């Protein structure tokens, strides 16, 4: 009779699991297993229906069949690894289709890739040392009734412009003397706000004119049509400048202009990461104690503080520092400061959570011994907790600084300063030689910091 009842129960369990996944397991009082099976099949079914990938229903059927098999074979049950394999195959397959993975696109866009990779193989960090020879003259645009004479001597170079002023797109004659003989000379236009305009064909190429054997030069230019684009009052005559620049190598190498920006950006990144880590660590210490259950479970009020602090830390930690940086950029403006605030806030939440876990994992023996002497909570923390947590706290703080150095690179993409700010600008204008130089600098800094932080953590732990 027992065998008949068991068989009947198995049949009922199988039918119930056929109707609703996990119900047969629940009938046999394995509620946790039944709920897990129901959630697994329900999420798989909702995912397939949501994305409309009907071909993946075959795996839903297999999961449903496994669920019936599991209900029949309890308490031993069916192999869980098989159900996990079916679920992962469905999730990964739908994910592959939804994300439109297309490896052939890497080959189809080979020319576009080469246009990026080729300049990156020549990073713009160092450049040949050059000597600069430069002169300039101011020209009034638009013309006024009595414009000043457009003539200026800078060092050895004297530059003149005829006529002494000009309106948009008018022709001007530039003459100069005192230049290096038989040397190419770049001629550029600069507006009163420092906006440089090219004067070559189409106004999108550099105008280069050769000086003669006596160092004289004569060239015809046009007032750029966009020279007054940013002027608050286009009718107000303002002085613009015409620059004549010569360069020649003098031997050796030096930092290029972009190389100097890379160094400046790396310095900002390191400073940003260091300041945010120190500030975040200081703020995280009290939160770490307030979020430690073993220290806050002695009284209902303390337990309430524990729940509130733990919740706040989890909420803040769940918001990516990049999002925080966007918010702070809106509040305080562009620059490293909003990036530092964003990283400091995220660091406070992250380290507060880690510090609390360290405190919860300490040896309870010293705590009980100190409490047995009648010590108050502050004395317990001073003599039983702090000596145990200083090494792991220090190691976690160093590790967080390592993380913040990486994060500060991305923070710059939203105006948070550091090397990321320059990197974003270079990507926008397509200067991939500068992008390559910044990549190399970031990688070098991260590797050096990773090496030293790992050594420090080994000594502390």
């Amino acid at each position: 009779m027992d065998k008949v009842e068991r068989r009947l129960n198995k049949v009922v369990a199988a039918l119930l699991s056929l109707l609703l996944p996990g119900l047969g397991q629940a009938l046999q009082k394995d509620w946790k297993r039944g709920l897990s099976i129901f959630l697994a099949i329900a999420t798989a079914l909702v995912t397939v229906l949501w994305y409309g990938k009907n071909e993946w229903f075959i795996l839903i059927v297999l999961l449903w069949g496994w669920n019936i098999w599991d209900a029949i074979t309890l308490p031993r049950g069916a192999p869980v690894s098989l159900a996990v394999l079916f679920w992962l195959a469905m999730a990964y397959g739908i994910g592959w289709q939804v994300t439109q993975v297309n490896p052939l696109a890497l080959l189809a866009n080979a020319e576009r890739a080469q246009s990026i990779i080729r300049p990156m193989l020549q990073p713009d960090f160092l450049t040949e040392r050059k000597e600069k020879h430069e002169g300039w003259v101011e020209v009034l645009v638009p013309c006024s009734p009595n414009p000043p004479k457009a003539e200026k001597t800078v060092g050895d170079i004297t530059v003149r412009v005829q006529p002494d002023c000009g309106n948009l797109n008018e022709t001007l004659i530039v003459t100069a003397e005192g230049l290096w003989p038989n040397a190419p000379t770049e001629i550029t236009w600069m507006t009163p706000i420092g906006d440089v305009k090219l004067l070559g064909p189409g106004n999108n190429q550099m105008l280069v004119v050769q000086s003669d054997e006596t160092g004289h030069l004569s060239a015809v230019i046009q007032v750029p049509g966009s020279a007054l684009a940013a002027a608050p009052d286009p009718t107000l005559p303002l002085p613009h400048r015409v620059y004549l620049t010569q360069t020649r190598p003098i031997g050796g190498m030096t930092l290029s202009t972009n190389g100097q920006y890379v160094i400046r950006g790396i310095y900002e990144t390191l400073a940003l990461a260091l300041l945010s880590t120190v500030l975040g660590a200081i703020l995280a210490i009290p939160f770490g104690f307030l979020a430690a259950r073993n220290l806050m479970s002695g009284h209902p009020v303390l337990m309430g503080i524990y729940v509130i602090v733990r919740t706040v830390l989890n909420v803040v930690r769940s918001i990516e520092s990049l999002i925080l940086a966007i918010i702070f950029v809106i509040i305080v403006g562009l620059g490293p400061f909003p990036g530092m605030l964003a990283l400091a806030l995220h660091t406070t939440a992250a380290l507060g959570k880690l510090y609390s876990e360290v405190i919860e994992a300490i040896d309870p023996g010293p705590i009980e011994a100190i409490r047995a002497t009648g010590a108050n909570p502050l004395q317990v923390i001073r003599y039983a907790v702090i000596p145990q947590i200083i090494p792991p706290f220090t190691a976690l703080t160093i590790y967080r600084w390592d993380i913040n150095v990486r994060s500060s690179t991305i923070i710059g993409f939203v105006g948070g300063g550091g090397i990321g700010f320059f990197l974003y600008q270079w990507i926008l204008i397509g200067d991939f030689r500068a992008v390559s130089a910044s990549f190399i600098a970031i990688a070098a800094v991260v590797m050096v910091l990773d090496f030293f932080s790992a050594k420090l953590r080994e000594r502390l732990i």
Side-chain angles (χ1 to χ4, degrees):
M1 187 67 180
D2 291 339
K3 288 185 179 179
V4 173
E5 286 184 5
R6 284 198 296 270
R7 287 180 180 176
L8 182 60
N9 287 338
K10 296 294 184 183
V11 171
V12 173
L15 290 174
L16 290 176
S17 291
L18 177 63
L19 293 174
L20 184 67
L23 192 57
Q25 287 79 358
L27 175 68
Q28 300 177 70
K29 301 191 182 330
D30 196 341
W31 296 97
K32 187 180 295 186
R33 191 180 185 93
L35 180 61
S36 299
I37 292 172
F38 172 77
L39 291 176
I41 295 179
T43 55
L45 183 60
V46 169
T47 303
V48 172
L49 291 172
W50 178 268
Y51 288 106
K53 306 297 181 182
N54 296 331
E55 60 269 25
W56 296 105
F57 273 112
I58 183 64
L59 289 175
I60 303 296
V61 173
L62 292 174
L63 275 172
W64 211 299
W66 177 91
N67 147 68
I68 297 172
W69 176 24
D70 182 75
I72 294 173
T73 56
L74 281 178
R76 180 173 57 86
V80 176
S81 58
L82 189 60
V84 172
L85 182 63
F86 289 153
W87 195 95
L88 289 177
M90 179 275 306
Y92 190 80
I94 292 179
W96 184 279
Q97 292 180 333
V98 168
T99 54
Q100 300 178 4
V101 176
N102 181 17
L104 296 178
L106 295 171
L107 301 176
N109 298 318
E111 292 184 4
R112 191 186 308 168
Q114 288 179 5
S115 67
I116 296 174
I117 294 174
R118 282 176 181 170
M120 292 186 70
L121 296 177
Q122 300 175 325
D124 184 11
F125 191 73
L126 296 175
T127 187
E128 188 179 18
R129 291 181 62 202
K130 293 181 179 180
E131 181 183 9
K132 181 185 285 188
H133 201 206
E134 187 174 67
W136 54 270
V137 64
E138 289 187 341
V139 181
L140 216 58
V141 178
C143 280
S144 66
N146 296 301
K149 189 172 182 62
E151 181 175 338
K152 179 77 173 180
T153 300
V154 179
D156 300 332
I157 303 176
T158 299
V159 184
R160 302 179 184 86
V161 171
Q162 290 294 330
D164 296 318
C165 64
N167 297 315
L168 296 182
N169 298 314
E170 284 189 354
T171 300
L172 303 176
I173 299 176
V174 179
T175 57
E177 57 189 35
L179 298 168
W180 291 330
N182 299 318
T185 306
E186 296 178 352
I187 304 178
T188 53
W189 185 283
M190 182 180 290
T191 66
I193 63 171
D195 189 12
V196 177
K197 306 292 184 181
L198 300 180
L199 299 173
N203 289 333
N204 56 12
Q205 299 179 36
M206 182 67 69
L207 177 61
V208 180
V209 180
Q210 190 88 356
S211 62
D212 63 19
E213 64 276 2
T214 63
H216 286 71
L217 175 146
S218 180
V220 177
I221 64 171
Q222 274 189 327
V223 178
S226 58
L228 300 177
D233 182 2
T235 64
L236 178 65
L238 292 174
H240 294 233
R241 288 186 178 184
V242 178
Y243 277 88
L244 278 69
T245 306
Q246 294 179 312
T247 58
R248 62 185 177 189
I250 57 175
M253 302 295 289
T254 187
L255 284 174
S256 65
T257 301
N258 285 334
Q260 294 174 18
Y261 283 125
V262 169
I263 297 297
R264 173 184 167 186
I266 287 293
Y267 178 78
E268 282 187 5
T269 295
L270 291 174
L272 190 157
L274 179 61
L275 290 175
S276 61
T277 303
V278 172
L279 179 59
I282 293 172
L283 295 176
I285 291 174
F287 287 116
F289 283 97
L290 294 175
R293 180 184 287 270
N294 56 340
L295 299 180
M296 305 293 289
S297 58
H299 191 276
V301 174
L302 295 178
M303 196 62 188
I305 295 173
Y306 160 80
V307 172
I308 294 172
V309 172
R310 197 82 171 197
T311 302
V312 171
L313 291 179
N314 287 334
V315 170
V316 175
R317 191 167 53 90
S318 66
I319 303 173
E320 181 56 45
S321 54
L322 187 65
I323 306 300
L324 296 174
I326 295 174
I327 295 173
F328 281 115
V329 164
I330 296 173
I331 296 173
V332 303
L334 297 173
F337 183 51
M340 189 276 288
L341 291 175
L343 284 178
L345 183 59
H346 197 271
T347 297
T348 300
L351 285 181
K353 176 71 162 52
L354 293 174
Y355 289 169
S356 68
E357 292 176 351
V358 169
I359 296 171
E360 290 175 348
I362 62 177
D363 183 5
I367 297 177
E368 294 172 0
I370 296 295
R371 279 178 176 168
T373 65
N376 59 43
L378 290 179
Q379 291 173 325
V380 171
I381 292 173
R382 167 66 181 86
Y383 295 104
V385 177
I386 290 179
Q388 298 187 64
I389 64 175
I390 288 178
F393 269 33
T394 307
L396 287 171
T397 303
I398 294 171
Y399 181 63
R400 183 65 198 187
W401 182 46
D402 196 14
I403 293 174
N404 282 347
V405 171
R406 295 176 173 88
S407 299
S408 59
T409 301
I410 303 301
I411 291 294
F413 274 65
V414 295
I419 188 65
F421 180 76
F422 297 109
L423 181 58
Y424 180 62
Q425 305 303 319
W426 288 326
I427 291 174
L428 285 181
I429 65 176
D431 190 351
F432 292 103
R433 292 188 62 206
V435 169
S436 177
S438 62
F439 282 175
I440 293 171
I442 292 168
V445 168
V446 168
M447 287 190 291
V448 170
L449 290 177
D450 185 66
F451 174 79
F452 284 106
S453 63
K455 291 297 182 183
L456 283 173
R457 289 196 299 271
E458 287 176 6
R459 289 178 176 270
L460 292 170
I461 298 178

